[in-house]
Amino acid sequence: MSVLRPLDKQPGLNTATILLVGTEDALLQQLADSMLKEDCASELKVHLARSLPLPSNVNRPRIDLIVFVVNLHSKYSLRNVEESLRHVDATFFLGKVGFLATGAGRESHCSIHRNTVVRLAHTYRSPLLFCDLEVEGFRATVAQRLVRMLQICAGHVPGVSALNLLSLLRSSENPALEDL
Amino acid sequence: MDSYDTPESTPRHSASSKLKDYFIGATPLQKRLESVRKQTSFIPTPPRRKIPQCSQLQEDNDPQKVAFLLNKQWTLYSLTPLYKFSYTNLKEYSRLLSAFIAAEKQKGLAVEVGEDFNIKVTFSTLLGMKGTQRDPEAFLVQILSKSQLPSENREHKVLWTGWFCCIFGDSLLETVSEDFTCVPLFLANGAETNTAIVGTWFQKTFDCYFSPLAINAFNLSWMAAMWTACKMDQYMAATEFLWSVPCSPQSLDISYAIHPEDAKALWDSVHKTPGEVTQEEVDLFMDCLYSHFHRHFKIHLSATRLVRVSTSVASAHTDGKIKILCHKYLIGVLAYLTELAIFQID
């Protein structure tokens, strides 16, 4: 009940829903606004949550993509994401989960090493995006990417499934995986 | 099956062990190239660092001679290798630098009202300030004022001090050629204008580049753990942390002071591997402090930014300011700072 499962609800007609999980309320709100501004053939729904599990008394549509937002300036956000990951069913990690790390631009403010997040994403076999959500231009770019990923995960792009996308992202990432 | 295994397994085993050895001493650039070449996904292992110990070379240096380095606030800069710097020309360099400073001051760029003293610059080497024999010698630059008074004892007042050093800088020394001298860590004490003038002269003369070395919260927590781990006979100061809470309109500062012996006791309970500090131990040490604070004040310190760490060994500020209090661990502290400086240059 408290665990999120990818296929426990019927999909809505031409609807794609994304769930953004993170402690940085202002940044999530701005990212949601950027995503909703994007031109998209499907109807987009963006849900925001501080942490999982989600309250069960709300009627919500089927979630197609979960993005966990970690702020590299705050260890608290990382702990929060790690706690929330426990409430997600394993089948979600077949391409319907992504990680987004923000704050890497201001190196002097970072209290988490980049590699910690890289390792977290690697453990969960999910793609990791780096983006400074505070900068307007970068935020618009990552919003565009997330909208495309969401359309694929909702099955609105013919011929490409979430799992296809995942293996495509991973095979292009591996040889040039960023390290120290 | 066996005939396939044996010829294949031996080269693979030697390749993987060679790979491991290579990674231990390799620079980040070499590691990156290696992982691209081998088509493996290189997930870096978390770093382990040695707890600062009294090094052999430190025994040689006279506590009196380096006493002036302690208990002073130094501003940190990282410096790229110097081209064609020679330790035999120090007198020449001091002459050139004093001429340069005099010229700059006459230009009116450095505004010092009422100061009409003659400036004298000295370059000297600091013996024993190195980690291994390979490290270049540390050297010191001082700007002294010669008093105009015709009295017998002309006291040379030190206006500005700056020193260059390299402690355990192997990863950088391996990548540069013979013409370069690697002294990546620069520490300055004194007026900002003087630092700028000296910096400009070095940049012009040796084709190098200075950049301020900021210390982020991640590295400050490593410093806190490593310095708490140092064995001290007596503690001169409490262990203190300062966090900055980002909130509008003005940021809030939270200061947390612990009795040094309690901090050491906490560290000892967390510490597992003798002689080494691992990422997990640092995280656990800081998490204990955070959860203790949360239990009492219901504030998540992990959501704030660590700005200053102060222990009996040394104290560091995120803007790149450091004050070393203990002579015994001077080399240890400088080794970590050299590592940060090299990382910034890379």
Side-chain angles (χ1 to χ4, degrees), chain A residues 73-77 79 107-113 115-116 118-119 122 174-180, chain B residues 28 31-32 35-36 39-44 214 216-218 283 286-287 300 302-305 318 343:
Chain A
H73 300 178
S74 146
K75 262 195 214 166
Y76 177 60
S77 69
R79 294 277 172 266
E107 178 64 37
S108 57
H109 285 234
C110 285
S111 53
I112 310 171
H113 202 281
N115 293 335
T116 314
V118 169
R119 249 179 283 127
H122 190 258
N174 268 345
L177 196 64
E178 288 292 346
D179 56 347
L180 262 175
Chain B
K31 284 184 202 169
R32 224 177 280 149
S35 70
V36 171
Q39 296 279 316
T40 55
S41 82
F42 175 58
I43 298 294
N216 64 22
F218 178 73
D283 285 340
M286 296 306 288
D287 283 343
H300 286 284
S302 47
T304 63
R305 181 167 76 109
T318 193
F343 184 68

Side-chain angles (χ1 to χ4, degrees), chain B residues 119-281:
Chain B
I119 300 292
K120 181 174 123 150
V121 175
T122 55
F123 272 65
S124 50
T125 51
L126 285 170
L127 294 170
M129 298 294 293
K130 38 155 79 164
T132 62
Q133 287 299 350
R134 276 190 71 181
D135 290 331
E137 288 286 349
F139 62 96
L140 175 73
V141 179
Q142 280 187 314
I143 300 179
L144 309 161
S145 71
K146 280 190 291 194
S147 167
Q148 293 282 38
L149 300 169
S151 57
E152 288 293 331
N153 49 342
R154 282 194 297 159
E155 281 182 18
H156 294 262
K157 189 166 146 237
V158 176
L159 294 177
W160 181 92
T161 317
W163 52 294
F164 301 75
C165 68
C166 177
I167 316 282
F168 293 111
D170 290 331
S171 58
L172 189 62
L173 293 166
E174 274 162 22
T175 56
V176 299
S177 67
E178 288 298 317
D179 291 330
F180 288 93
T181 311
C182 290
V183 273
L185 189 61
F186 174 57
L187 302 97
N189 173 285
E192 185 57 42
T193 49
N194 288 331
T195 313
I197 295 175
V198 175
T200 318
W201 183 80
F202 266 89
Q203 282 175 171
K204 275 203 213 151
T205 318
F206 301 112
D207 194 23
C208 58
Y209 186 70
F210 284 85
S211 56
L213 184 66
I215 310 174
N216 64 22
F218 178 73
N219 290 318
L220 281 176
S221 48
W222 263 92
M223 285 184 189
M226 289 203 297
W227 298 342
T228 311
C230 294
K231 274 202 264 293
M232 300 276 289
D233 302 321
Q234 61 171 121
Y235 291 100
M236 291 176 286
T239 305
E240 206 180 300
F241 298 84
L242 187 70
W243 281 273
S244 163
V245 183
C247 63
S248 55
Q250 276 172 324
S251 71
L252 199 66
D253 282 334
I254 299 177
S255 157
Y256 186 0
I258 321 168
H259 195 275
E261 277 164 27
D262 291 342
K264 185 78 168 63
L266 175 63
W267 173 257
D268 289 335
S269 65
V270 162
H271 187 50
K272 299 273 175 333
T273 40
E276 266 188 347
V277 180
T278 61
Q279 180 70 55
E280 289 89 25
E281 288 168 7

